[in-house]
Amino acid sequence: MKKRIVYADHNATTPLSPEALEAMGPYLKTVYGNASSLHVFGQESKKALEDAREAIAGLINAEKPEEIIFTSGGTESDNMAIKGLALSSLNKGKHIITTQVEHHAVLTTCEYLAANGFKADFVGVDKFCRVNPKDIINAVKPDTFLVSVMHANNEVGVIEPIAEIAKLLNIENEKRRSAGHPKIYFHTDAVQSAGKLKLDVAALGVDMLSISAHKFYGPKGVGAIYVKRGTPVEPILHGGHHERNLRAGTENIAGIKGMAKALEAACREREKEQPRLYFLRDRLEKGIVEKIPETTVNGHYLERISGTLNVSFKYVEGESLMLSLDLEGIAASTGSACASGSSEPSHVLKAMGADPATAQGALRFSFGHQNTDEDIDYILEVLPRIVSRLRAMSPWWAKEHPQQ
Amino acid sequence: MNDKKNIMVAMSGGVDSSTAAFLLKEQGYETVGVTLKLWHSNDDKRRPGGCCSTEDISDARRVCNFLGIRHYVLNMEEEFKSCVVDNFAGEYLSGRTPNPCIVCNEKIKFGLLMQKAGQMNFDYFATGHYARVEREAGSFVLKKGLDQHKDQSYVLYRLGQSELSKLVLPLGAMKKPEVREIAQKNNIPAAHKPESQEICFVDDDYADFLSSYIKDFGSKVKPGEVVNSEGKVLGKHKGLVYYTVGQRSGLGISYEYPLYVVKLDTKNNSLVVGRKQEVYSRDMEVEYVSWVSGKEPALPLECDVKIRYLHRQAPAVVSSCENGVKVNFKEPQMAITPGQSAVFYRGETALGGGLIK
């Protein structure tokens, strides 16, 4: 088979869609006013900004456009949710509940706060990476003020039961009101689910939700956070009066327009695109399991975003496998892009109870728009060859398979 | 299909490995650069240089971008710590003076990394070392680099046939000024980078490093007596790890003649000092011997022996003894230091070597 280039790392980032690029064009060229300026240049930019805000609010079913705050991306949105609420809770609550499988933007922010006077509990998951909502409630303390649970996991694609957690938290908050305990706010990191799953903040029942444009074919360096009216977040970036005093800094109009357009397109195409990705992923998953013995699919079979496949091959190191695939033109990843460069096995797989060998050997494929059936054919041609080569060099494999 | 040969080149970000990568690409290899992350990045703030800092990784990446080749960074911090740094600390604690680069070459660069290259189906593996690999009578031999001032065969003596069969050393037949010239002429970004000589994980003083790295350093390293070879006490020492055989300064004792460290007596925690001529000796035992050919040559063997990187090799006879070999120099040698490597040469060829007992 002829060598091809296959990009299968869409959970790391996606290419900018032509539609988003087109929407950005005027704001990179002719419409350059500062949205805070009072003159006509400023007004034009302000209009673009508020149109985008309205569009995004509509797409995620926010009650009001003002509930959308623009940021520099998922990491800032997560930081703002957690630190911003912590700052406003200084004299009320000290305790945060999150999970062991969050993205580092949430994990290390919580760890940082825990090292600076706050407390954090990291709730575990089952072997499919699912959080049990009851475990969240069981971790609640009188001074809990925040729960943060991701919507879909970046490494294994597993979808967490956000609406159920929200329901239980509502019941809990009822009780707390009469007991005089601080309200528990609920944040979800929806960076991996935006554009892939229906995002309805009312149905999910969250107070805050983070998204990042470049995960759904928008530009890099721009994101947003939904902050439900009445949620007392403090700014973490101080300066001018931008974004209702919640996020200082001249707005990135082009990026914001690109994000709004990209989200609109993703929501429009979701019902067609997601089943397509599901079938691509499913064909690869079946093909791998069929062709490569002693393979483990990591994550939940059903509750998983459609384009993500995380697999481990016994006695194969994920890094060698990933680099070998790269040399054959296939871009996949081990764990998450943000954690690469460290030899630590994936914290997600560890939390799922995977043995260290499985965690070290994990490989993630994540598919998107430009992937086709031919890509799957190519991966299914190349991958088994590489895995058997790597296994042939493994002393452990040889010990267990002496006849080969 | 592409019938270009694939080669992985280990890149430190310095001028040598960068030029090596450049030359390999010129020679038509499908070249991929790899840089190892070996030592903790916390140190980066303090220390910009060294062979494995974040800055060096960026330098290597810049060179690869310039050459238009792929660049991978592999994290081997854990393995480096357990194989190289722990060994380094342990050797000092047992009164020996280690050469961590030799251990790193054996276990990490030509061990784990070369294994990785094999796993990734590379045909060859390259580094910017100044040494040569040649084929003689059906087997691979390791020869000195043609630039006698830069020759690094000494730090490669633990390689064997399987490593050499895959190894390409593009700088082996070149001289350093030529290498710099090529780098400059071709605008390779590392062209003007200064040489790094010291141990990559040690700031400037190995003793400072040891005292912060070793747990319970204070209970393991204690002051003791400075004695001469007759056992006469001449003063106090700070702890044996601070000294090395042949060292002259830093004793803080004024005496009728200049004093040199003759021996670290770990059993009695005493530092044996004496006249310069007492530091010279003719005989040593060498253990953990490794032969490049894979088999021990007929012993006794007349050859030249080098007892540290900057030592001028000296003629000797190598004969077998229990757990290794015995070396008898024709002339007494200054500061035969336990823990350093002795490497045996015949003409240009490095036959093998081992650790001085």
Side-chain angles (χ1 to χ4, degrees):
Chain A
M1 190 180 250
K2 224 178 120 46
K3 188 168 170 179
R4 345 172 15 105
I5 301 295
V6 178
Y7 182 75
D9 202 10
H10 290 78
N11 287 12
T13 195
T14 57
L16 185 66
S17 74
E19 223 174 322
L21 177 62
E22 200 192 317
M24 295 168 75
Y27 306 94
L28 294 167
K29 295 178 200 155
T30 48
V31 187
Y32 52 82
N34 185 324
S36 303
S37 299
L38 300 178
H39 46 61
V40 69
F41 290 81
Q43 286 174 29
E44 207 175 340
S45 293
K46 182 76 172 174
K47 180 177 182 304
L49 177 67
E50 296 312 320
D51 284 351
R53 198 187 307 281
E54 208 168 304
I56 291 174
L59 290 168
I60 67 168
N61 196 26
E63 217 175 293
K64 292 190 163 289
E66 289 70 37
E67 292 174 321
I68 306 299
I69 312 290
F70 293 116
T71 67
S72 64
T75 293
E76 188 191 330
S77 294
D78 288 342
N79 270 266
M80 179 166 168
I82 298 164
K83 290 182 191 158
L85 200 69
L87 284 168
S88 77
S89 306
L90 280 176
N91 303 312
K92 288 172 266 175
K94 286 270 179 238
H95 182 236
I96 302 168
I97 299 168
T98 184
T99 77
Q100 293 172 6
V101 297
E102 297 300 311
H103 187 271
H104 283 112
V106 168
L107 274 187
T108 53
T109 305
C110 291
E111 284 163 6
Y112 171 78
L113 287 175
N116 286 279
F118 287 87
K119 295 177 292 182
D121 272 319
F122 301 87
V123 172
V125 293
D126 65 14
K127 64 177 175 180
F128 306 111
C129 196
R130 289 270 284 178
V131 177
N132 185 340
K134 287 190 192 125
D135 291 344
I136 300 285
I137 300 304
N138 289 338
V140 167
K141 293 181 180 162
D143 64 345
T144 304
F145 66 93
L146 174 66
V147 169
S148 179
V149 178
M150 71 199 322
H151 193 195
N153 184 274
N154 48 315
E155 291 190 23
V156 292
V158 169
I159 302 163
E160 301 299 350
I162 299 302
E164 283 171 62
I165 296 170
K167 261 183 218 134
L168 295 181
L169 279 175
N170 278 341
I171 298 169
E172 196 63 23
N173 273 330
E174 286 297 321
K175 288 190 244 165
R176 291 167 74 87
R177 193 157 12 163
S178 40
H181 296 318
K183 181 178 171 180
I184 302 171
Y185 293 92
F186 186 24
H187 166 249
T188 189
D189 172 347
V191 165
Q192 284 299 341
S193 58
K196 297 173 189 146
L197 300 174
K198 191 171 163 52
L199 284 193
D200 178 331
V201 290
L204 288 172
V206 294
D207 300 301
M208 292 179 285
L209 176 143
S210 309
I211 62 171
S212 177
H214 76 101
K215 306 284 190 188
F216 48 82
Y217 308 93
K220 289 165 186 65
V222 58
I225 181 170
Y226 158 79
V227 180
K228 190 179 178 176
R229 210 148 48 110
T231 307
V233 279
E234 291 285 324
I236 56 170
L237 290 181
H238 295 85
H241 299 294
H242 316 84
E243 302 294 295
R244 293 191 297 124
N245 282 327
L246 281 176
R247 203 277 187 184
T250 300
E251 294 88 350
N252 170 9
I253 307 292
I256 289 165
K257 282 301 261 188
M259 171 164 64
K261 183 50 96 181
L263 189 60
E264 186 197 306
C267 293
R268 187 182 68 222
E269 283 159 22
R270 192 179 55 234
E271 283 181 22
K272 228 173 55 217
E273 177 66 357
Q274 295 304 313
R276 191 185 76 84
L277 294 180
Y278 177 90
F279 285 115
L280 284 185
R281 194 265 314 271
D282 208 44
R283 198 158 79 75
L284 179 63
E285 184 172 324
K286 288 209 177 89
I288 286 176
V289 172
E290 210 178 88
K291 288 189 168 193
I292 308 174
E294 302 186 49
T295 296
T296 316
V297 175
N298 301 309
H300 195 280
Y301 185 66
L302 288 174
E303 295 295 331
R304 187 161 42 135
I305 45 178
S306 43
T308 305
L309 173 63
N310 188 306
V311 275
S312 298
F313 307 95
K314 200 172 184 190
Y315 301 135
V316 174
E317 212 196 334
E319 190 179 58
S320 303
L321 184 54
M322 188 266 282
L323 298 180
S324 298
L325 284 170
D326 187 35
L327 293 171
E328 304 262 6
I330 300 170
S333 81
T334 58
S336 71
C338 306
S340 54
S342 84
S343 61
E344 281 281 291
S346 148
H347 69 283
V348 175
L349 294 176
K350 245 174 25 193
M352 290 162 65
D355 60 282
T358 304
Q360 286 278 18
L363 183 73
R364 179 187 73 184
F365 294 99
S366 45
F367 296 106
H369 283 356
Q370 71 269 50
N371 293 121
T372 60
D373 265 314
E374 286 72 40
D375 292 344
I376 305 296
D377 293 338
Y378 183 62
I379 298 173
L380 282 174
E381 207 242 8
V382 171
L383 183 67
R385 186 160 37 86
I386 295 175
V387 171
S388 27
R389 188 181 76 218
L390 294 175
R391 282 179 170 168
M393 291 180 207
S394 157
W396 295 281
W397 179 262
K399 211 178 279 171
E400 280 191 19
H401 303 79
Q403 75 282 6
Q404 289 171 359
Chain B
M1 268 314 274
N2 200 339
D3 46 5
K4 266 178 152 186
K5 293 282 190 192
N6 290 320
I7 194 161
M8 177 193 276
V9 52
M11 296 181 68
S12 67
V15 63
D16 292 335
S17 54
S18 299
T19 307
F22 169 81
L23 293 170
L24 291 166
K25 200 196 164 202
E26 292 274 288
Q27 287 162 21
Y29 286 100
E30 188 73 52
T31 309
V32 173
V34 170
T35 305
L36 294 178
K37 190 158 188 268
L38 295 179
W39 192 238
H40 213 288
S41 47
N42 277 357
D43 294 9
D44 290 349
K45 275 175 236 122
R46 287 192 288 126
R47 179 186 167 72
C51 76
C52 43
S53 69
T54 306
E55 196 181 298
D56 291 318
I57 292 172
S58 316
D59 287 343
R61 183 178 294 126
R62 201 170 299 131
V63 171
C64 289
N65 286 342
F66 173 80
L67 297 177
I69 63 175
R70 282 165 201 258
H71 181 238
Y72 297 127
V73 179
L74 299 180
N75 187 314
M76 294 192 183
E77 285 179 312
E78 219 171 283
E79 294 87 350
F80 184 73
K81 185 188 176 300
S82 65
C83 295
V84 180
V85 187
D86 287 350
N87 171 277
F88 177 81
E91 287 284 276
Y92 266 110
L93 284 180
S94 46
R96 295 151 65 90
T97 306
N99 184 328
C101 300
I102 289 173
V103 182
C104 179
N105 280 333
E106 180 186 10
K107 307 275 188 196
I108 307 289
K109 286 192 193 122
F110 297 91
L112 285 168
L113 180 58
M114 219 168 158
Q115 215 175 306
K116 251 309 182 313
Q119 288 176 352
M120 288 165 64
N121 224 16
F122 280 94
D123 301 307
Y124 296 106
F125 179 76
T127 67
H129 283 105
Y130 288 84
R132 288 171 292 157
V133 178
E134 283 177 12
R135 250 197 121 124
E136 276 179 8
S139 76
F140 293 93
V141 292
L142 175 66
K143 291 189 162 180
K144 290 182 184 174
L146 277 195
D147 185 336
Q148 11 170 344
H149 303 292
K150 285 296 298 178
D151 167 44
Q152 290 171 313
S153 58
Y154 177 82
V155 292
L156 301 177
Y157 80 90
R158 299 199 74 83
L159 303 190
Q161 291 295 300
S162 73
E163 288 83 22
L164 294 189
S165 68
K166 300 261 177 192
L167 184 59
V168 176
L169 300 172
L171 309 188
M174 298 179 67
K175 299 200 167 172
K176 179 82 184 198
E178 280 176 78
V179 171
R180 263 205 199 276
E181 200 187 310
I182 290 175
Q184 279 163 9
K185 240 198 226 146
N186 294 284
N187 297 314
I188 298 173
H192 300 281
K193 217 180 157 179
E195 205 91 346
S196 70
Q197 283 281 333
E198 337 78 279
I199 302 167
C200 67
F201 53 91
V202 170
D203 265 338
D204 22 51
D205 185 26
Y206 74 91
D208 283 350
F209 170 79
L210 291 175
S211 66
S212 63
Y213 183 75
I214 297 169
K215 272 190 215 124
D216 313 317
F217 181 78
S219 70
K220 289 177 181 145
V221 176
K222 290 198 170 118
E225 284 168 344
V226 178
V227 298
N228 66 12
S229 44
E230 285 91 50
K232 186 177 162 198
V233 178
L234 304 180
K236 277 267 201 199
H237 70 75
K238 294 185 283 178
L240 290 181
V241 301
Y242 293 98
Y243 307 90
T244 186
V245 174
Q247 174 181 340
R248 186 186 156 187
S249 57
L251 293 174
I253 300 167
S254 52
Y255 203 61
E256 53 197 86
Y257 48 83
L259 291 174
Y260 289 82
V261 174
V262 175
K263 193 182 154 194
L264 310 182
D265 179 358
T266 42
K267 215 163 95 195
N268 301 308
N269 191 34
S270 58
L271 187 69
V272 184
V273 299
R275 291 175 193 272
K276 187 167 185 184
Q277 53 266 39
E278 290 181 66
V279 186
Y280 280 81
S281 65
R282 210 187 272 273
D283 309 318
M284 64 182 182
E285 277 183 34
V286 175
E287 47 187 4
Y288 305 105
V289 176
S290 162
W291 298 101
V292 174
S293 69
K295 46 190 186 291
E296 188 176 271
L299 299 180
L301 173 77
E302 279 195 42
C303 61
D304 292 326
V305 179
K306 190 166 171 167
I307 54 172
R308 63 185 151 267
Y309 184 46
L310 295 175
H311 177 242
R312 185 198 292 257
Q313 63 186 52
V317 175
V318 175
S319 49
S320 61
C321 75
E322 214 183 332
N323 298 325
V325 298
K326 208 161 62 196
V327 176
N328 304 95
F329 284 101
K330 297 229 160 82
E331 303 288 335
Q333 299 298 308
M334 163 87 182
I336 294 176
T337 309
Q340 289 283 296
S341 281
V343 179
F344 315 136
Y345 288 94
R346 240 189 162 170
E348 292 287 291
T349 304
L351 303 170
L355 295 181
I356 299 170
K357 199 174 163 184

